[in-house]
Amino acid sequence: MVESTGKIPQQGSAWSEIRDALENAGRGDVDWRDARTAVYVFNPGDDVMQVAKEAYAMYQSENGLGMAAFPSIREMEADVVSCGLRLLNAPDEAVGNMTSGGTESIILAVKACRDSARARGRDVLGAKIVVPRSAHPAFDKAAAYLGLEVVRVPVATDFTADVAAMDRAIDDRTIMLVGSAPCFPFGVVDPIAELGKLADAHELWLHVDACVGGYFAPFARMNGIELPDFDFSVPQVNSMSADLHKYGYAAKGASTVFHRNEEQRNFQSFVFDDWPAGGMSTPTVAGTRPGGAFASAWAVMHYLGVEGYCEKAKRVTDTREKLMNAIDEIPGLYTFGQPKLGLFAYGAEDANVFAIWGALNAKGWFTGVITEPQGIQLMLSPAHADVADDYIRDLQEALEQLGGAAAPSDGTPSYN
Ligand SMILES: Cc1ncc(COP(=O)(O)O)c(C=O)c1O
């Protein structure tokens, strides 16, 4: 039996034994393959995951740091970026890069914004990014890395960005505004066009975080779901982040960051030549860039095509609607806002919603939670279409077990 001992074993083991050990190691993990997990994993079905996996393995050793050595990776990145830009209504001169994930895409957009402000003579130390309170913590991580400050502004009663309140939060230190499409806690899309007007009035960089919606919302729209403009069709949008490893269904380690033009993207890149190995220019945070992530994203895009993505998006939005309707019909439970994509959250009037989460978790469901207001959050995948009825049945059972008004729990359940 191969075991972790904290040191490299003196003698290696056979792959068959190691594979058994790896399988064993995962036995304590959530069983996302049965579609009872609605956070962290995007499950489009076995065939798509097989494509993502095999494509990753084919290019697992290739390195996107060396595009001269691997023109294949250069081409895949260019193609994926071009597909993303078209999907998000970008102008012809728009550009972008693949990154390791949403957080890296956001860090890069913030860096580009900061450095472009500095190039225009602004003092950027401690400069501010004004975001809705629902924006992802990646903006705070970026600010912490880059010497900036985030100002979080409470959202409106419909859980979208409160544009008037964001206006009031802008001061002469502000360099960036952010909206989400959609935000992680509630799944609602912020009013990007209004944020665009605000950005215009104050001459600010506007970033749209479409990490969740970038490769989902365009297809939901093609299916007839009505959404406000949220992408480069809003002329003031400078940059966007859109994750391939979420609703793009690529293997993990793949996102895209997009800029309206090359001039902006130049502020994202890092160039250095003062060492004994010559010049090194990197467009993203990473040095080595995993070839597998490029290949996996490219392969899944070409496997699914627009029709495949639309079909997956419909399964997800139908399931969300079904779950939201069923939950809203349960006395004492209510959904938050009007999410239109694959992510929603719900709360309880009298019962302790975290106790409900605990009871559902005991039945094998692993979902997100939110704290303001307290609620249970679900990020749905196509695979959830098959288990929506089971979830509602288990939710009703959980409520009966808890006797309506559940006893207070010890606090917020930890799901990360
Ligand atoms: C809206 C939003 N932005 C950014 C991120 C960060 O993405 P990643 O976890 O890939 O770094 C997430 C992750 O869930 C997200 O939901």
Side-chain angles (χ1 to χ4, degrees):
M1 177 70 179
V2 182
E3 283 174 352
S4 302
T5 59
K7 56 182 198 296
I8 298 176
Q10 194 60 31
Q11 281 189 341
S13 302
W15 164 235
S16 58
E17 286 176 42
I18 292 166
R19 192 177 46 216
D20 289 350
L22 287 172
E23 264 170 24
N24 230 6
R27 287 195 207 290
D29 293 352
V30 291
D31 189 0
W32 56 267
R33 289 176 184 82
D34 67 3
R36 290 185 157 235
T37 300
V39 61
Y40 299 131
V41 177
F42 294 79
N43 182 346
D46 291 346
D47 60 330
V48 185
M49 283 193 293
Q50 192 62 23
V51 170
K53 188 160 134 182
E54 282 190 30
Y56 197 104
M58 281 176 74
Y59 280 83
Q60 66 169 356
S61 300
E62 280 73 1
N63 188 343
L65 176 61
M67 294 295 196
F70 303 110
S72 56
I73 305 289
R74 190 203 305 275
E75 214 175 295
M76 285 186 236
E77 179 178 36
D79 196 47
V80 168
V81 165
S82 168
C83 293
L85 287 169
R86 277 167 201 265
L87 211 51
L88 297 170
N89 294 307
D92 289 345
E93 61 278 16
V95 293
N97 283 104
M98 285 182 64
T99 71
S100 63
T103 300
E104 188 183 353
S105 292
I106 287 168
I107 290 170
L108 289 168
V110 173
K111 178 193 179 301
C113 167
R114 183 200 65 174
D115 290 1
S116 118
R118 185 159 50 200
R120 280 179 282 115
R122 296 281 301 263
D123 171 13
V124 292
L125 191 63
K128 294 179 185 171
I129 310 172
V130 173
V131 309
R133 188 153 173 76
S134 54
H136 195 271
F139 291 96
D140 299 72
K141 186 182 269 191
Y145 286 2
L146 295 163
L148 305 173
E149 193 188 310
V150 172
V151 180
R152 287 187 171 263
V153 179
V155 290
T157 50
D158 65 357
F159 302 99
T160 64
D162 183 337
V163 180
M166 286 176 73
D167 191 2
R168 290 192 294 277
I170 294 168
D171 65 15
D172 58 3
R173 305 288 296 132
T174 307
I175 58 170
M176 186 182 221
L177 286 182
V178 170
S180 307
C183 69
F184 179 77
F186 313 110
V188 292
V189 176
D190 288 327
I192 304 301
E194 281 86 85
L195 287 174
K197 287 184 200 138
L198 197 57
D200 217 15
H202 296 273
E203 293 183 26
L204 299 173
W205 181 300
L206 176 58
H207 179 82
V208 175
D209 178 11
C211 280
V212 172
Y215 294 97
F216 187 96
F219 302 113
R221 260 185 167 169
M222 290 175 208
N223 289 340
I225 302 258
E226 280 184 26
L227 290 171
D229 288 344
F230 65 92
D231 56 19
F232 285 107
S233 60
V234 176
Q236 299 86 0
V237 170
N238 293 87
S239 55
M240 293 187 71
S241 41
D243 288 357
L244 295 153
H245 62 198
K246 292 192 170 75
Y247 288 106
Y249 304 121
K252 285 193 173 44
S255 170
T256 34
V257 59
F258 299 123
H259 291 279
R260 187 167 280 281
N261 54 51
E262 185 73 56
E263 190 194 341
Q264 277 185 200
R265 199 253 301 266
N266 287 340
F267 291 109
Q268 171 190 301
S269 301
F270 186 78
V271 183
F272 185 79
D273 64 3
D274 189 14
W275 75 319
M280 188 189 244
S281 167
T282 47
T284 59
V285 176
T288 286
R289 300 167 80 200
F294 292 81
S296 166
W298 185 88
V300 171
M301 257 184 194
H302 289 265
Y303 178 74
L304 281 174
V306 170
E307 284 177 12
Y309 276 116
C310 283
E311 187 260 324
K312 301 290 172 204
K314 178 140 176 55
R315 273 172 79 83
V316 172
T317 51
D318 283 355
T319 307
R320 182 199 38 75
E321 228 173 279
K322 178 177 185 170
L323 286 171
M324 285 181 70
N325 288 339
I327 288 166
D328 281 328
E329 271 174 25
I330 298 176
L333 299 189
Y334 59 98
T335 55
F336 297 132
Q338 299 206 309
K340 298 269 171 47
L341 300 172
L343 177 55
F344 78 101
Y346 66 96
E349 262 152 27
D350 304 316
N352 182 321
V353 77
F354 294 152
I356 299 171
W357 186 93
L360 284 165
N361 186 240
K363 291 174 186 289
W365 297 99
F366 199 96
T367 66
V369 291
I370 57 171
T371 54
E372 300 172 19
Q374 293 188 347
I376 294 174
Q377 180 244 40
L378 285 93
M379 180 118 82
L380 299 169
S381 291
H384 289 118
D386 301 331
V387 298
D389 291 330
D390 298 347
Y391 185 80
I392 294 301
R393 193 201 53 229
D394 283 354
L395 173 58
Q396 273 158 339
E397 264 180 35
L399 288 168
E400 278 162 30
Q401 277 165 14
L402 293 166
S409 70
D410 296 340
T412 312
S414 170
Y415 72 103
N416 65 9

